[in-house]
């Protein structure tokens, strides 16, 4: 493979993936929504930047873009932080499933060899967790469907694999980290409780390395949950408190699930009354945050070849960037 199309190439993960591809000697086409976050984002003649909404391009226009590429990185779509109009399943189906099917189908037609989906670790835990029905929640259900429909389109003709992505940290030119919404919530609070669970966390560099690994040697129908460290929600909240300069001023008690369920139930009821719906209902979201959602890095590190990285340093750098953006 010589040339790769990165859908969402100027987005957070697309940016890191493009840099990783360039370091490996690939040429890159980056198709992204306008505007460019930074004019000097890629100082390389081996990157062709195109600004457009791929979902608004005709099949003929997309096929023309695909005509000289060997692989596709699908790094676009909506995540669970979006709160759409109800029913949420319809929104996430239209945002993540249908566009993936179309791009996979057109990639097969163009002769693409390998297609990598940037998915979610909620697909992983929807399969692992059996005591609650996470598979019926709109966001995990459509992430699973996104994978399966991509696999089906490539069957026998193109390798299609999926990265199941957890919490991701890092910074990039021209964009404020999405974690700012959380540091803004904690700012100036005297108490900010955390549930007692934990989450897998990785750096954007690790995601990029895993993406190139999947592109080169991922198995068709392969699903790869990424892990780096296991970060407790209390620890993460305390890191945000420290980044805000509120150490000793903001208490972070651990609360049990039963204590907070009425609050989360009220949020779900208020959301429904407004005609909206979370991709994972807040009651179940709280349940997930009370669990250990860690992932053994070796599961995907060995087959894909991504490396260990200093995730804690990346978390700290990311949160400092969030606070700096708030101070402007």
């Amino acid at each position: 493979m010589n040339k790769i199309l990165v859908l969402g190439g100027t987005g957070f993960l697309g940016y890191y993936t493009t840099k990783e591809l360039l370091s490996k000697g690939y040429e890159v086409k980056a198709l992204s929504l306008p505007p460019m976050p930074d004019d000097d984002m890629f100082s390389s003649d081996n990157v062709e930047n195109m600004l457009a909404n791929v979902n608004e391009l005709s099949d003929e226009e997309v096929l023309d873009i695909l005509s000289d590429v060997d692989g596709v990185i699908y790094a676009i779509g909506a995540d669970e932080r979006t709160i759409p109009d109800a029913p949420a399943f319809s929104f996430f189906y239209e945002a993540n499933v249908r566009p993936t099917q179309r791009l996979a189908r057109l990639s097969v037609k163009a002769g693409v060899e390998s297609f990598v989906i940037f998915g979610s670790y909620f697909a992983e835990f929807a399969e692992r967790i059996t005591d609650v029905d996470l598979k019926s929640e709109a966001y995990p259900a459509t992430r699973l469907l996104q994978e399966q429909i991509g696999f089906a389109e490539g069957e026998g003709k193109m390798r299609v694999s999926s990265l199941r992505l957890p919490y991701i940290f890092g910074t990039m030119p021209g964009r404020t980290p999405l974690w700012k919404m959380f540091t803004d919530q904690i700012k100036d609070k005297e108490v900010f409780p955390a549930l007692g669970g934990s989450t897998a966390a990785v750096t954007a560099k690790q995601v990029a390395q895993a993406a190139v690994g999947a592109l080169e040697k991922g198995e068709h129908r392969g699903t790869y949950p990424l892990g780096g460290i296991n970060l407790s929600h209390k620890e993460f909240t305390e890191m945000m408190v420290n980044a805000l300069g509120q150490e000793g001023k903001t208490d972070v008690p651990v609360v049990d699930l039963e204590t907070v369920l009425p609050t989360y139930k009220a949020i779900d009821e208020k959301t429904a009354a407004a005609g909206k719906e979370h991709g994972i209902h807040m009651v179940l979201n709280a349940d997930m945050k009370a669990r250990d959602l860690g992932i053994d890095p070796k599961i995907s590190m060995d087959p894909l070849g991504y490396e260990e990285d200093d995730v804690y340093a990346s978390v700290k750098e990311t949160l400092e960037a969030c606070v700096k953006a708030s101070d402007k």
Side-chain angles (χ1 to χ4, degrees), residues 52-220:
N53 184 340
V54 68
N55 297 322
E56 294 176 356
L57 300 178
S58 68
D59 285 2
E60 291 72 22
E61 289 172 314
V62 175
L63 283 169
D64 183 60
I65 293 169
L66 291 165
S67 63
D68 61 346
V69 304
D70 307 299
V72 173
I73 303 287
Y74 192 92
I76 57 175
D79 69 19
E80 78 279 4
R81 287 168 291 199
T82 305
I83 309 172
D85 292 338
F89 189 99
S90 296
F91 170 82
F92 287 109
Y93 181 81
E94 293 296 331
N96 292 336
V97 182
R98 282 170 58 91
T100 302
Q101 181 179 30
R102 176 178 179 244
L103 262 295
R105 173 176 55 82
L106 293 175
S107 294
V108 166
K109 190 172 183 179
V112 170
E113 298 174 29
S114 181
F115 190 102
V116 179
I117 300 167
F118 278 15
S120 168
Y121 81 158
F122 282 112
E124 180 73 14
F125 289 108
E127 293 179 339
R128 290 194 195 186
I129 295 172
T130 58
D131 62 312
V132 295
D133 193 9
L134 190 57
K135 281 186 177 181
S136 293
E137 295 290 299
Y139 184 71
T142 50
R143 281 299 195 181
L144 285 165
L145 185 56
Q146 177 189 32
E147 292 178 342
Q148 291 302 318
I149 210 162
F151 298 157
E153 289 290 339
E155 198 72 24
K157 296 162 285 192
M158 176 179 72
R159 283 187 297 112
V160 182
S161 57
S162 178
L163 303 184
R164 293 176 166 180
L165 305 177
Y167 283 25
I168 305 166
F169 297 94
T171 60
M172 66 169 287
R175 293 193 188 277
T176 300
L178 294 174
W179 297 109
K180 179 178 177 294
M181 64 186 291
F182 296 99
T183 55
D184 284 349
Q185 290 172 3
I186 296 172
K187 189 174 183 179
D188 298 327
K189 294 288 194 303
E190 292 184 1
V191 179
F192 202 90
L195 282 157
S198 60
T199 178
V202 295
T203 67
K205 180 180 178 180
Q206 288 177 305
V207 174
Q209 291 173 342
V212 177
L215 192 74
E216 295 175 341
K217 52 192 176 185
E219 294 184 0
H220 179 60

Side-chain angles (χ1 to χ4, degrees), residues 1 10 18 26 41 51 61 81 100 126 131 144 170 173-174 179 199 207 219 221 268-269 289 302 322:
M1 291 186 287
T10 63
T18 297
Y26 288 98
M41 179 169 289
L51 298 179
E61 289 172 314
R81 287 168 291 199
T100 302
D131 62 312
L144 285 165
W179 297 109
T199 178
V207 174
E219 294 184 0
R221 293 186 171 270
D268 279 332
E269 291 171 349
K289 287 188 174 180
D302 289 345
C322 293

Side-chain angles (χ1 to χ4, degrees), residues 263-324:
T263 299
Y264 281 84
K265 183 179 179 181
I267 295 172
D268 279 332
E269 291 171 349
K270 183 178 180 180
T271 303
K276 304 281 187 178
E277 185 181 18
H278 290 267
I280 301 175
H281 287 93
M282 293 303 291
V283 166
L284 191 50
N285 191 295
D287 186 299
M288 293 299 106
K289 287 188 174 180
R291 298 175 185 246
D292 174 15
L293 300 189
I295 292 172
D296 180 359
K298 293 295 183 183
I299 295 173
S300 299
M301 191 176 283
D302 289 345
L304 300 183
Y306 73 91
E307 300 171 353
E308 293 184 5
D309 200 6
D310 192 340
V311 183
Y312 282 107
S314 186
V315 175
K316 183 178 179 181
E317 176 191 34
T318 303
L319 297 178
E320 287 173 351
C322 293
V323 173
K324 185 177 181 180

